[in-house]
Amino acid sequence: MSVSAFKGIPSPTWTSHPARRQSPGVRCHESRGPTQRFGDMSAELRELASPEALQKLEEAREDDLVSSTTFTFDEGWGADILDDDAEEEEPDEDDVDRMLKNAVSDARFDLMPNHMVKRLQSQQQEAHRVNGNTNRDKLREMKALRKTHKRLRIISGEFAGRRLNSPRSKNVRPMMERVRAAVFDMLLSHSGSMGGFPTSTKWLDLFAGTGSVGLEALSRGCGECEFIELDPWVTSSVLEPNIQACSCEMRSSTHTMRAEDYLKRAAEQPQFSRGPFDYISVCPPYLQVSYPELQDLLEQSGLITDESVIFLEYPKQLSKEIRDKIGPLSMVKDRKYGRTFLAVYACT
């Protein structure tokens, strides 16, 4: 005889034959099938049954009342004892191990005193309640992080004073306004035009976040800007609404992807981007990126020329990873603004 099938169904409703009593160790119910004797039961199932259960089933065997017995265990697993001529579907080893372990647990549970069963049920209900509260707290925290406020603004140019959406989450860290103002004054001074950028200027805003850097460039005359942002929620709920608030849809394009992947794809498929670019802003989440990899990808991207300008924001602890050159461009300025460090690369 063999265990022929395992079915993921709920435990059946137990019924008793008039001449047979329920046993605490093994539960059984009648089902159709050829007559089988208890002595043919597999050794594994015999070991799982309690002495009381074996005695009761032996009595039933003597009365020839056991036709086909289903032993059902926790979590809805069942094992049918059938004859050798029945069609067999061999279970895998994991199912057998799980069945045997659950059978032991079921037998022990049935033999527990009622007060112990009630105590275990009470403890399980309390654990479910605590887990439910924890999950609700996490959900509320996630919802709070997905809210926005309007604390950022465009500093100068066509959209001066325009308020921008910004997420409350600490995962998005926009460039501070005073740093942004100093950077753009420096870039415009370098270009020799304090009135604004030429309309033919193309800008690439990597790690765009709120888009405050690229939108500041558009406000100051830049012709077009490409925004790269990883988080889909930030793109749809923060970046794109900010672009629409400045009426810059026709001068902007967004890519929801990793900045590193964008640079790799631009190197493989030059038509993928609008490059090469006149200005590239790189303001990554400091400790979540590899600065050597970023600089390598910028060099290989084909998005920079001898006339390009790159400014790269970095933390003090990673200053040794910042190179003096990126492709044909050399570091011309390395400034500190509070805790923010900024390297500017241009043709010398």
Side-chain angles (χ1 to χ4, degrees), residues 3-181:
V3 178
S4 64
F6 294 86
K7 303 176 182 178
I9 58 173
S11 298
T13 301
W14 302 107
T15 59
S16 299
H17 190 278
R20 187 194 326 154
R21 295 179 183 147
Q22 293 285 353
S23 60
V26 175
R27 299 173 178 175
C28 57
H29 68 88
E30 289 187 284
S31 62
R32 298 177 183 177
T35 300
Q36 294 298 321
R37 305 188 67 80
F38 179 72
D40 294 329
M41 184 185 297
S42 65
E44 290 87 350
L45 293 178
R46 288 182 64 90
E47 291 177 0
L48 290 174
S50 64
E52 295 85 353
L54 293 175
Q55 182 179 355
K56 296 297 182 183
L57 289 177
E58 183 64 24
E59 293 174 0
R61 182 190 67 79
E62 292 174 356
D63 294 333
D64 203 21
L65 294 176
V66 179
S67 58
S68 178
T69 305
T70 299
F71 296 86
T72 304
F73 312 106
D74 289 346
E75 301 182 16
W77 289 95
D80 288 338
I81 309 302
L82 302 176
D83 65 337
D84 291 332
D85 296 330
E87 183 180 354
E88 295 189 354
E89 180 182 348
E90 292 295 336
D92 58 32
E93 294 182 2
D94 291 340
D95 288 343
V96 173
D97 291 342
R98 183 178 179 183
M99 181 200 71
L100 295 177
K101 291 178 182 178
N102 288 339
V104 174
S105 298
D106 184 63
R108 290 176 179 174
F109 188 79
D110 286 345
L111 293 175
M112 283 185 181
N114 288 336
H115 73 278
M116 291 184 65
V117 173
K118 291 180 179 179
R119 186 174 65 181
L120 287 174
Q121 291 175 341
S122 176
Q123 292 174 351
Q124 186 177 34
Q125 291 172 358
E126 178 64 17
H128 287 319
R129 184 188 66 79
V130 172
N131 289 338
N133 291 340
T134 301
N135 292 336
R136 283 193 292 272
D137 291 342
K138 289 181 178 179
L139 183 60
R140 282 195 293 267
E141 182 179 352
M142 289 297 296
K143 288 182 177 179
L145 292 177
R146 290 310 192 186
K147 293 182 178 180
T148 62
H149 51 68
K150 289 183 176 291
R151 295 182 180 177
L152 289 177
R153 65 184 180 90
I154 301 296
I155 299 169
S156 181
E158 181 182 355
F159 315 122
R162 194 73 53 90
R163 291 286 175 176
L164 302 176
N165 285 331
S166 178
R168 297 178 184 273
S169 171
K170 296 180 180 179
N171 294 331
V172 178
R173 182 190 47 79
M175 180 182 286
M176 294 183 295
E177 286 187 11
R178 66 185 186 89
V179 177
R180 190 164 14 112

Side-chain angles (χ1 to χ4, degrees), residues 153-161 177-189 191 193-201 203 212-224 246 248 251 279:
R153 65 184 180 90
I154 301 296
I155 299 169
S156 181
E158 181 182 355
F159 315 122
E177 286 187 11
R178 66 185 186 89
V179 177
R180 190 164 14 112
V183 167
F184 275 91
D185 288 345
M186 179 173 55
L187 295 178
L188 287 171
S189 175
S191 67
S193 174
M194 293 303 293
F197 297 105
T199 55
S200 60
T201 302
W203 193 288
S212 59
V213 176
L215 289 171
E216 186 75 40
L218 292 173
S219 178
R220 296 182 186 234
C222 182
E224 58 183 286
C246 296
C248 291
R251 300 161 62 192
Y279 293 89

